[in-house]
Amino acid sequence: MNNYIYGWLKNLHINGTLPTANCELLISKQIIYAITSADIARKCQIVSGLAQFQLTHDIMGNHVVCDIEPILSQCNEQQYLNLTSMINNTNEHLIARFFKLLSFVTCSELQPFIDFILTKQSILQKFIQAPASLNHHHSYTHGLFEHSIEVAEIAFNNAKHLNHSSIECQAALVAGLFHDIGKIFVMLHQANDRYIPGPHEGYNFAILAEPLAKLGSRNRQLLELLSSLLAAKPSGYQARYAIEHIVQQADRCSSESAFIHAKFQKLPDYYHFCKVGDKVLKRMS
């Protein structure tokens, strides 16, 4: 069965006289040597860089690349290695998905958020390693990073599908990615890795003060939109932007799906419901 994976393409070389090409891949912190067709290699826009691979094996057990989809990000190999060193092998795909999301941000006014997260090493490390909650959704190491990526992906794709403007789609992506970054505020200032519940929406603005200030000096309307997306929503709050509903629903989709997956994780496939307190959760498997 074919397996789609993210990784780093270290080298791609087309053989001069054969209809094949040799690939050198970095996947799960290991070098993998594989072969592919010359046609696939020629269609690939890069000879080195971040990519998604369709990987299988031939009858001799050799790795065979059936497809290569480049991720045209500004990430270099050293950046990729630095970030993958912060995460376990089973979650390494999150790093590639993170860089893929960053590559979609082309609006110059939002670039300070990309520069900020890639240059603030202590913030980035906590962001990658922290859980997203104490005992609800994504309540495990790397959970906050996974949840943030899921929300950004869902919000960005849904906004595009619903024909929102490019700037609103990118704002939804940035808001989705950073909507919970305030959850690491206490960890940063008390030098611990334990999740402590608090008013994380307010802490969002404390952590993101630098890029928000730069955005405010360049585009006040966009600052207003992004602030609305990042802020806590009091009871009775009336959204002013349609994109707010998209980000909120993306957040809920990610958190509720993860919560239910966790509750069914250790149960056999034929279990179609389980009780959590006085609540019954259902699934179809």
Side-chain angles (χ1 to χ4, degrees):
M1 181 179 292
N2 292 327
N3 183 25
Y4 293 87
I5 54 176
Y6 289 99
W8 188 269
L9 177 63
K10 288 182 67 68
N11 190 28
L12 181 62
H13 175 70
I14 299 176
N15 295 312
T17 58
L18 298 173
T20 60
N22 297 325
C23 304
E24 185 179 351
L25 316 176
L26 177 62
I27 297 170
S28 298
K29 304 181 181 70
Q30 293 184 342
I31 299 295
I32 293 176
Y33 296 97
I35 59 173
T36 190
S37 73
D39 286 343
I40 290 174
R42 290 190 187 99
K43 290 176 184 177
C44 183
Q45 302 174 45
I46 59 173
V47 294
S48 176
L50 199 59
Q52 186 175 359
F53 309 99
Q54 185 180 354
L55 197 63
T56 187
H57 298 87
D58 62 18
I59 59 174
M60 301 297 292
N62 299 310
H63 293 285
V64 178
V65 176
C66 302
D67 191 27
I68 305 173
E69 295 183 13
I71 297 171
L72 302 178
S73 111
Q74 296 181 358
C75 165
N76 59 48
E77 186 174 357
Q78 191 56 55
Q79 283 179 307
Y80 182 73
L81 290 172
N82 289 344
L83 266 65
T84 53
S85 69
M86 301 179 189
I87 204 162
N88 58 44
N89 288 353
T90 57
N91 287 302
E92 189 174 320
H93 64 96
L94 294 174
I95 300 299
R97 288 165 63 188
F98 172 65
F99 278 115
K100 185 175 182 178
L101 282 166
L102 299 188
S103 73
F104 295 145
V105 180
T106 58
C107 172
S108 61
E109 289 100 328
L110 292 173
Q111 190 60 42
F113 292 88
I114 310 307
D115 298 337
F116 172 80
I117 196 61
L118 291 178
T119 56
K120 303 295 184 182
Q121 188 74 8
S122 60
I123 291 175
L124 181 56
Q125 186 167 359
K126 293 289 187 185
F127 184 50
I128 289 174
Q129 296 178 343
S133 69
L134 189 61
N135 52 23
H136 191 251
H137 70 94
H138 299 88
S139 55
Y140 42 78
T141 303
H142 310 312
L144 176 60
F145 193 51
E146 180 178 34
H147 171 59
S148 301
I149 288 169
E150 288 174 354
V151 175
E153 289 173 340
I154 296 169
F156 180 69
N157 289 326
N158 284 353
K160 285 180 63 180
H161 183 72
L162 294 170
N163 296 317
H164 282 267
S165 65
S166 176
I167 192 64
E168 285 197 338
C169 292
Q170 292 181 46
L173 188 159
V174 171
L177 195 57
F178 297 124
H179 77 288
D180 273 350
I181 198 169
K183 291 183 176 182
I184 67 171
F185 184 81
V186 176
M187 298 180 192
L188 287 168
H189 293 275
Q190 293 188 358
N192 69 67
D193 295 323
R194 188 168 62 90
Y195 177 84
I196 300 176
H200 67 271
E201 294 94 347
Y203 294 151
N204 287 342
F205 292 89
I207 292 178
L208 298 173
E210 180 182 317
L212 284 168
K214 290 180 180 179
L215 175 59
S217 68
R218 299 178 184 183
N219 190 327
R220 291 186 63 184
Q221 285 185 315
L222 184 53
L223 174 64
E224 180 184 324
L225 167 59
L226 196 59
S227 296
S228 294
L229 294 173
L230 292 171
K233 306 298 186 291
S235 177
Y237 173 80
Q238 297 292 321
R240 294 172 293 171
Y241 302 91
I243 204 76
E244 290 183 75
H245 297 289
I246 293 175
V247 175
Q248 289 170 11
Q249 288 301 315
D251 184 16
R252 187 167 185 177
C253 286
S254 171
S255 59
E256 292 301 323
S257 291
F259 178 71
I260 290 176
H261 287 325
K263 295 304 175 185
F264 282 99
Q265 188 174 22
K266 296 181 180 179
L267 297 177
D269 288 345
Y270 57 82
Y271 273 61
H272 292 162
F273 69 91
C274 69
K275 290 199 68 175
V276 179
D278 59 353
K279 190 176 180 180
V280 176
L281 303 178
K282 293 185 176 183
R283 72 170 177 184
M284 293 186 68
S285 57

Coordinates of all heavy atoms in Angstrom, one line a residue, residues 74-119:
Q74 N 10.4 28.8 2.1 CA 11.7 29.4 2.2 C 12.6 28.7 3.2 O 13.7 29.1 3.5 CB 11.6 30.9 2.6 CG 10.9 31.7 1.5 CD 10.8 33.2 1.8 OE1 11.3 33.6 2.9 NE2 10.3 34.0 0.9
C75 N 12.1 27.6 3.8 CA 12.8 26.9 4.8 C 14.0 26.2 4.1 O 14.0 25.7 3.0 CB 11.9 25.8 5.3 SG 12.7 24.4 6.2
N76 N 15.2 26.3 4.9 CA 16.4 25.6 4.4 C 16.6 24.3 5.2 O 15.9 24.1 6.2 CB 17.6 26.5 4.4 CG 17.9 27.0 5.8 OD1 17.9 26.3 6.8 ND2 18.1 28.3 5.9
E77 N 17.5 23.5 4.8 CA 17.7 22.2 5.5 C 18.0 22.3 6.9 O 17.6 21.6 7.8 CB 18.7 21.4 4.7 CG 18.9 20.0 5.3 CD 19.8 19.1 4.5 OE1 20.3 19.6 3.4 OE2 20.1 17.9 4.9
Q78 N 18.9 23.3 7.3 CA 19.3 23.5 8.6 C 18.1 23.9 9.5 O 17.9 23.4 10.7 CB 20.4 24.5 8.8 CG 21.0 24.6 10.1 CD 21.6 23.3 10.6 OE1 22.4 22.7 9.9 NE2 21.2 22.8 11.7
Q79 N 17.2 24.8 9.0 CA 16.0 25.1 9.8 C 15.1 23.9 10.0 O 14.6 23.7 11.1 CB 15.2 26.2 9.0 CG 15.7 27.6 9.1 CD 14.9 28.5 8.3 OE1 14.6 28.3 7.1 NE2 14.5 29.6 8.9
Y80 N 15.0 23.1 8.9 CA 14.2 21.9 9.1 C 14.8 20.9 10.1 O 14.0 20.4 10.9 CB 14.1 21.2 7.7 CG 13.3 19.9 7.7 CD1 11.9 20.0 7.7 CD2 13.8 18.7 7.6 CE1 11.1 18.9 7.7 CE2 13.1 17.5 7.6 CZ 11.7 17.6 7.7 OH 10.9 16.5 7.6
L81 N 16.1 20.8 10.1 CA 16.7 19.9 11.1 C 16.6 20.4 12.5 O 16.3 19.7 13.4 CB 18.2 19.7 10.7 CG 18.5 18.9 9.5 CD1 20.0 19.0 9.1 CD2 18.1 17.5 9.7
N82 N 16.7 21.8 12.6 CA 16.6 22.4 14.0 C 15.2 22.1 14.5 O 15.0 21.8 15.7 CB 16.8 23.9 13.9 CG 18.3 24.2 13.6 OD1 19.2 23.4 13.8 ND2 18.5 25.4 13.2
L83 N 14.2 22.3 13.7 CA 12.8 22.1 14.2 C 12.5 20.6 14.4 O 11.8 20.3 15.4 CB 11.8 22.7 13.3 CG 11.4 24.2 13.7 CD1 12.6 25.1 13.6 CD2 10.3 24.7 12.8
T84 N 12.9 19.7 13.6 CA 12.6 18.3 13.8 C 13.3 17.8 15.0 O 12.9 16.8 15.6 CB 13.0 17.5 12.5 OG1 14.4 17.7 12.2 CG2 12.1 17.8 11.4
S85 N 14.4 18.4 15.4 CA 15.1 18.0 16.6 C 14.2 18.3 17.9 O 14.5 17.7 19.0 CB 16.4 18.7 16.8 OG 16.3 20.1 17.0
M86 N 13.2 19.1 17.8 CA 12.3 19.5 18.9 C 11.1 18.6 19.0 O 10.3 18.7 19.9 CB 11.9 20.9 18.7 CG 12.9 22.0 18.7 SD 12.2 23.6 18.5 CE 13.6 24.6 18.1
I87 N 11.0 17.6 18.1 CA 9.8 16.9 18.0 C 10.1 15.4 17.8 O 11.1 15.0 17.3 CB 8.9 17.4 16.8 CG1 7.4 17.1 17.0 CG2 9.4 16.9 15.5 CD1 6.5 18.0 16.2
N88 N 9.2 14.5 18.3 CA 9.4 13.1 18.1 C 9.1 12.6 16.7 O 8.5 13.3 15.9 CB 8.6 12.2 19.1 CG 7.1 12.5 19.0 OD1 6.6 12.5 17.9 ND2 6.5 12.6 20.2
N89 N 9.7 11.5 16.3 CA 9.6 11.0 14.9 C 8.2 10.9 14.4 O 7.9 11.1 13.3 CB 10.3 9.7 14.8 CG 11.9 9.8 14.9 OD1 12.4 11.0 14.9 ND2 12.6 8.7 14.9
T90 N 7.3 10.4 15.3 CA 5.9 10.2 14.8 C 5.2 11.5 14.5 O 4.1 11.4 13.8 CB 5.1 9.4 15.9 OG1 5.1 10.1 17.1 CG2 5.7 8.0 16.1
N91 N 5.7 12.6 15.0 CA 5.0 13.9 14.7 C 5.8 14.8 13.8 O 5.5 16.0 13.7 CB 4.7 14.6 16.1 CG 3.6 14.0 16.8 OD1 2.5 13.9 16.3 ND2 3.8 13.5 18.0
E92 N 6.9 14.2 13.2 CA 7.7 15.0 12.4 C 7.0 15.7 11.2 O 7.3 16.7 10.7 CB 8.9 14.2 11.8 CG 10.0 15.0 11.1 CD 11.1 14.1 10.7 OE1 11.6 13.3 11.5 OE2 11.6 14.3 9.6
H93 N 5.9 15.0 10.8 CA 5.1 15.6 9.7 C 4.5 16.9 10.0 O 4.3 17.8 9.1 CB 3.9 14.6 9.3 CG 2.9 14.5 10.4 ND1 1.8 15.2 10.5 CD2 2.9 13.7 11.5 CE1 1.1 14.9 11.6 NE2 1.8 13.9 12.2
L94 N 4.4 17.2 11.3 CA 3.9 18.5 11.7 C 4.8 19.7 11.3 O 4.3 20.8 11.0 CB 3.6 18.6 13.2 CG 2.5 17.6 13.8 CD1 2.5 17.7 15.3 CD2 1.2 18.0 13.2
I95 N 6.1 19.4 11.3 CA 7.1 20.5 10.9 C 6.9 20.8 9.5 O 6.9 22.0 9.1 CB 8.5 20.0 11.2 CG1 8.7 19.6 12.7 CG2 9.5 21.0 10.7 CD1 8.5 20.8 13.6
A96 N 6.8 19.8 8.6 CA 6.6 20.1 7.2 C 5.2 20.8 6.9 O 5.1 21.7 6.1 CB 6.6 18.8 6.4
R97 N 4.2 20.4 7.6 CA 2.9 21.1 7.5 C 2.9 22.5 8.0 O 2.3 23.4 7.4 CB 1.8 20.3 8.3 CG 1.4 19.0 7.6 CD 0.7 18.0 8.5 NE -0.6 18.6 8.9 CZ -1.4 18.0 9.9 NH1 -1.0 16.9 10.5 NH2 -2.6 18.6 10.2
F98 N 3.7 22.8 9.0 CA 3.9 24.1 9.6 C 4.6 25.0 8.5 O 4.1 26.1 8.2 CB 4.8 24.0 10.8 CG 5.3 25.3 11.4 CD1 4.4 26.2 11.9 CD2 6.6 25.6 11.4 CE1 4.8 27.4 12.5 CE2 7.0 26.8 12.0 CZ 6.1 27.7 12.5
F99 N 5.7 24.5 7.9 CA 6.3 25.3 6.9 C 5.5 25.5 5.6 O 5.5 26.5 5.0 CB 7.7 24.7 6.5 CG 8.8 25.0 7.4 CD1 9.4 24.0 8.2 CD2 9.3 26.3 7.6 CE1 10.4 24.3 9.1 CE2 10.3 26.6 8.4 CZ 10.9 25.6 9.2
K100 N 4.7 24.5 5.3 CA 3.8 24.6 4.2 C 2.8 25.7 4.4 O 2.5 26.5 3.5 CB 3.0 23.3 4.0 CG 2.1 23.2 2.7 CD 1.5 21.9 2.5 CE 0.7 21.8 1.2 NZ 0.2 20.4 1.0
L101 N 2.2 25.8 5.6 CA 1.3 26.9 6.0 C 2.0 28.2 5.9 O 1.4 29.2 5.3 CB 0.8 26.7 7.4 CG -0.3 25.7 7.6 CD1 -0.5 25.3 9.1 CD2 -1.6 26.1 6.9
L102 N 3.2 28.3 6.4 CA 3.9 29.6 6.3 C 4.1 30.1 4.9 O 4.2 31.3 4.6 CB 5.3 29.5 7.0 CG 5.3 29.2 8.5 CD1 6.6 29.3 9.1 CD2 4.3 30.0 9.3
S103 N 4.3 29.1 4.0 CA 4.5 29.5 2.6 C 3.3 30.1 1.9 O 3.4 30.8 0.9 CB 5.0 28.2 1.8 OG 3.9 27.3 1.5
F104 N 2.1 29.9 2.5 CA 0.9 30.5 1.9 C 0.7 32.0 2.3 O -0.1 32.7 1.8 CB -0.3 29.7 2.4 CG -0.4 28.3 1.9 CD1 -0.9 27.3 2.7 CD2 0.1 28.0 0.7 CE1 -1.0 26.0 2.3 CE2 0.0 26.7 0.2 CZ -0.5 25.7 1.0
V105 N 1.6 32.4 3.3 CA 1.5 33.8 3.7 C 2.3 34.7 2.8 O 3.6 34.7 3.0 CB 1.9 34.0 5.2 CG1 1.8 35.5 5.6 CG2 1.0 33.1 6.1
T106 N 1.7 35.4 1.9 CA 2.4 36.2 0.9 C 2.2 37.7 1.1 O 2.8 38.5 0.5 CB 2.0 35.8 -0.5 OG1 0.6 36.0 -0.7 CG2 2.3 34.3 -0.8
C107 N 1.2 38.0 2.0 CA 0.9 39.4 2.3 C 2.1 40.0 3.1 O 2.4 39.5 4.2 CB -0.4 39.5 3.0 SG -0.8 41.1 3.7
S108 N 2.7 41.1 2.6 CA 3.8 41.6 3.3 C 3.5 42.1 4.7 O 4.3 42.1 5.6 CB 4.4 42.8 2.5 OG 3.5 43.8 2.3
E109 N 2.3 42.6 4.9 CA 1.9 43.1 6.2 C 1.8 42.0 7.3 O 2.0 42.2 8.5 CB 0.5 43.8 6.2 CG 0.5 45.1 5.5 CD 0.0 45.0 4.1 OE1 0.2 43.9 3.5 OE2 -0.7 45.9 3.5
L110 N 1.6 40.7 6.9 CA 1.6 39.6 7.8 C 2.9 38.9 8.0 O 3.1 38.0 8.8 CB 0.5 38.6 7.3 CG -0.9 39.1 7.4 CD1 -1.9 38.0 6.7 CD2 -1.4 39.3 8.8
Q111 N 3.9 39.3 7.2 CA 5.2 38.7 7.2 C 5.9 38.8 8.6 O 6.6 37.9 9.0 CB 6.1 39.3 6.2 CG 7.5 38.5 6.0 CD 7.3 37.1 5.5 OE1 6.4 36.8 4.7 NE2 8.0 36.2 6.1
P112 N 5.7 39.9 9.4 CA 6.3 39.9 10.7 C 5.9 38.8 11.6 O 6.7 38.4 12.5 CB 5.8 41.3 11.3 CG 5.6 42.1 10.0 CD 5.0 41.2 9.0
F113 N 4.7 38.2 11.4 CA 4.3 37.1 12.2 C 5.1 35.8 11.9 O 5.5 35.0 12.8 CB 2.8 36.8 12.1 CG 1.9 37.8 12.6 CD1 1.6 38.9 11.8 CD2 1.5 37.8 13.9 CE1 0.8 39.9 12.4 CE2 0.7 38.8 14.5 CZ 0.3 39.9 13.7
I114 N 5.5 35.7 10.6 CA 6.3 34.5 10.2 C 7.7 34.7 10.7 O 8.3 33.8 11.3 CB 6.3 34.4 8.6 CG1 4.9 34.5 8.1 CG2 7.1 33.2 8.2 CD1 3.9 33.5 8.7
D115 N 8.3 35.9 10.5 CA 9.6 36.2 11.0 C 9.7 36.0 12.5 O 10.7 35.5 13.0 CB 10.0 37.7 10.6 CG 10.1 37.9 9.1 OD1 10.2 36.9 8.4 OD2 9.9 39.1 8.7
F116 N 8.7 36.5 13.2 CA 8.6 36.4 14.7 C 8.7 34.9 15.2 O 9.6 34.6 16.0 CB 7.4 37.0 15.2 CG 7.1 36.8 16.7 CD1 7.8 37.6 17.6 CD2 6.3 35.9 17.1 CE1 7.5 37.5 19.0 CE2 6.0 35.7 18.5 CZ 6.7 36.5 19.4
I117 N 7.9 34.1 14.6 CA 7.8 32.7 15.2 C 9.1 31.9 14.8 O 9.5 31.0 15.5 CB 6.6 32.0 14.7 CG1 6.3 30.7 15.6 CG2 6.6 31.6 13.2 CD1 6.1 31.0 17.0
L118 N 9.7 32.3 13.7 CA 10.9 31.5 13.2 C 12.2 32.0 13.9 O 13.2 31.3 13.9 CB 11.1 31.6 11.7 CG 10.0 30.9 10.9 CD1 10.3 31.1 9.4 CD2 10.0 29.4 11.2
T119 N 12.2 33.2 14.5 CA 13.4 33.8 15.1 C 13.4 33.8 16.6 O 14.4 33.9 17.2 CB 13.6 35.2 14.6 OG1 12.5 36.0 14.9 CG2 13.9 35.3 13.1

